[in-house]
Amino acid sequence: MTHRQHRTLATAGLARVEGEGAMHVRVSGDQVDQVRLEIYEPPRFFEAFLRGRSYTEPPDITARVCGICPVAYQSSACLAIEAACGVSVAGSIADLRRLLYCGEWIASHALHIFMLHAPDFLGYPGAIELARDHRDIVERGLALRRAGNTIMETLGGRAVHPVNVRVGGFYRTPSRAELAPVADQLRGALDLAVQTVGWVAGFDFPDFTCEHELLALRQPGRYPIEQGTLVTSGGLAFMAAEFEQYVLEEQVPHSTALHAGLAGRSGPYLTGPLARYTLNSRWLPPAAAQAARDAGLTGSCRNPFRSIVVRAVEIVCAIEEALRIIGSYQPPEASSVPVPARAGTGHGVTEAPRGVLYHRYELGADGTISSARIIPPTSQNQRAIEDDLRRFVQARLDLDDDQLTRECEQAIRNYDPCISCATHFLTIAIDRA
């Protein structure tokens, strides 16, 4: 512990998050004067990989950005490419896309809740230690994750980096008989998901409020996953094609991912479960809406620590949606629609488990990609995470350094940062004499 007039809280490698990052907090006297979420994982330059490739390749290439949320990247890529080519996908193929995305939400949220975040609330260093005392709890999480993976395996060919997704739809679509056992598994998972909401709702949550502007998709009539218009809690509304007019990025010295802000706004903004729920809770399906009420959630939720409850509600939502889609599914005549190449620019936005994910592609007349841009949710949330961490520490300076550092790490895990997703950008200046 450093002298009380100058304290430094640091974690060189954050645990139970995806990717490599560090935390640095400096306190001078009675004021927090520096907070850095240090993302030091090397950039992977996916946008550069895409230049010169065929317009049919982004779903397969961008899926490799993340092993936890590959469907999000495939979905945003497909929407952007199809928009550039003047094609829209509807009917059963669009339903199957939403179903595939539901599988990813279930699997990703289950991983975060049970393996990454719940140990913080229950006083365990990790899921392995939690399993020694509460095997049933961890097995419930694994069962939910399996249910999500089953959807992705059935529709995508495999759970990690699915291979059945293509621009225009799928290479192959399932029969009703193939989806019947998936529905059977989901019906059992729905009970587990509702139990999970009640379980996490009983955790002890610090009193903390996020006041940032919230950004999410909105699709009136149903909870947003793979489609919608972008809206904010501050009254903004814009289409995917306008994304780069409203979301502005800049590089900071301590991160290999860009920080983002909203044009004309001075403070950070937040995307992800809290934003989705607060802006769209009225359109939750019945079981999810009831689970939210039973958990004590109102129409909005701005406590980042309670994001674990919102994620549990979203698992219920995704299972309900999956069952609805399977129940009314009629196989399409063709597994994909034609998407002929043409020159143009296309934009695609979907709701990854961690928040809004934007893709933009510029195509030549033969479909060759001339430029690409990907803005993932974690890079958008970095400023909000740092600002929340500053206020969180400021209110707890009476704690000793070890306890405060542990609580800071938990506070960061509230946002389920996917650091590897965020490290695509790096400005390089070459000065040759």
Side-chain angles (χ1 to χ4, degrees):
M1 181 172 178
T2 54
H3 191 275
R4 299 297 295 184
Q5 293 304 307
H6 182 76
R7 304 171 66 185
T8 299
L9 310 173
T11 300
L14 293 167
R16 286 185 272 128
V17 298
E18 201 287 326
E20 299 174 356
M23 176 198 74
H24 180 92
V25 178
R26 188 178 68 193
V27 181
S28 296
D30 60 355
Q31 292 295 317
V32 179
D33 65 0
Q34 186 180 80
V35 175
R36 298 197 306 266
L37 175 60
E38 298 174 346
I39 293 181
Y40 54 79
E41 184 167 321
R44 293 180 293 154
F45 303 111
F46 269 87
E47 292 86 352
F49 297 160
L50 290 161
R51 291 199 296 269
R53 307 302 292 255
S54 168
Y55 75 117
T56 61
E57 295 185 79
D60 290 317
I61 293 175
T62 61
R64 271 66 181 177
V65 172
C66 184
I68 299 175
C69 48
V71 172
Y73 284 88
Q74 292 182 317
S75 299
S76 290
C78 285
L79 289 178
I81 295 292
E82 289 156 7
C85 296
V87 172
S88 61
V89 174
S92 294
I93 297 175
D95 288 340
L96 288 176
R97 281 185 170 175
R98 186 171 175 89
L99 176 60
L100 179 64
Y101 220 141
C102 285
E104 180 158 282
W105 270 32
I106 296 163
S108 177
H109 280 343
L111 172 67
H112 172 79
I113 290 169
F114 288 90
M115 309 300 165
L116 307 182
H117 207 187
D120 285 324
F121 293 98
L122 300 175
Y124 289 93
I128 293 175
E129 294 82 2
L130 175 62
R132 289 173 184 155
D133 294 340
H134 302 283
R135 180 178 178 135
D136 59 325
I137 289 174
V138 175
E139 287 183 342
R140 184 198 304 160
L142 293 174
L144 284 170
R145 184 162 171 80
R146 279 195 300 272
N149 284 344
T150 296
I151 296 175
M152 290 193 284
E153 289 162 0
T154 303
L155 290 180
R158 62 189 188 193
V160 179
H161 311 323
V163 293
N164 191 38
V165 176
R166 62 178 295 177
V167 173
F170 297 87
Y171 290 101
R172 178 187 178 278
T173 52
S175 66
R176 286 180 58 84
E178 288 175 291
L179 291 180
V182 179
D184 289 340
Q185 186 175 0
L186 288 171
R187 279 187 279 271
L190 183 58
D191 291 336
L192 297 179
V194 172
Q195 293 172 27
T196 298
V197 177
W199 173 60
V200 297
F203 291 169
D204 184 19
F205 300 107
D207 184 14
F208 188 77
T209 302
C210 161
E211 299 292 352
H212 309 306
E213 192 157 3
L214 304 176
L215 171 69
L217 288 178
R218 173 172 289 171
Q219 189 178 14
R222 66 178 185 175
Y223 204 72
I225 299 177
E226 84 300 2
Q227 291 182 2
T229 300
L230 291 146
V231 297
T232 76
S233 57
L236 297 178
F238 54 97
M239 304 299 292
E242 302 172 288
F243 194 88
E244 292 177 62
Q245 299 173 35
Y246 286 89
V247 175
L248 307 178
E249 294 186 300
E250 63 177 1
Q251 190 168 352
V252 296
H254 60 271
S255 177
T256 54
L258 300 182
H259 280 206
L262 292 171
R265 307 290 210 256
S266 58
Y269 72 93
L270 184 70
T271 187
L274 292 187
R276 278 194 299 264
Y277 179 85
T278 298
L279 294 169
N280 298 284
S281 60
R282 75 191 82 170
W283 291 301
L284 283 170
Q290 185 61 53
R293 288 191 293 270
D294 292 344
L297 292 178
T298 61
S300 66
C301 181
R302 283 184 168 272
N303 184 339
F305 290 89
R306 291 176 67 85
S307 65
I308 193 170
V309 183
V310 175
R311 285 187 174 90
V313 169
E314 288 191 336
I315 292 179
V316 178
C317 170
I319 294 174
E320 273 190 279
E321 276 293 282
L323 287 169
R324 180 190 64 79
I325 293 168
I326 293 172
S328 62
Y329 174 64
Q330 295 296 328
E333 293 184 2
S335 60
S336 64
V337 299
V339 184
R342 74 174 192 183
T345 300
H347 311 258
V349 180
T350 65
E351 283 283 354
R354 292 157 184 83
V356 166
L357 171 62
Y358 168 76
H359 286 223
R360 185 255 294 154
Y361 299 97
E362 295 180 27
L363 309 181
D366 63 351
T368 299
I369 298 169
S370 59
S371 74
R373 190 170 189 184
I374 299 172
I375 303 180
T378 293
S379 65
Q380 296 176 67
N381 284 341
Q382 285 179 96
R383 289 180 63 196
I385 294 171
E386 290 182 346
D387 187 71
D388 284 350
L389 196 58
R390 180 190 306 275
R391 293 186 299 111
F392 182 77
V393 173
Q394 187 65 56
R396 290 161 176 79
L397 292 179
D398 57 315
L399 301 178
D400 64 53
D401 285 12
D402 288 343
Q403 182 177 351
L404 189 52
T405 299
R406 286 194 300 272
E407 293 194 10
C408 285
E409 288 191 64
Q410 178 181 359
I412 292 172
R413 283 189 284 268
N414 288 332
Y415 307 89
D416 193 17
C418 191
I419 291 170
S420 296
C421 287
T423 56
H424 300 157
F425 306 93
L426 188 64
T427 299
I428 300 176
I430 301 176
D431 186 2
R432 300 178 183 231

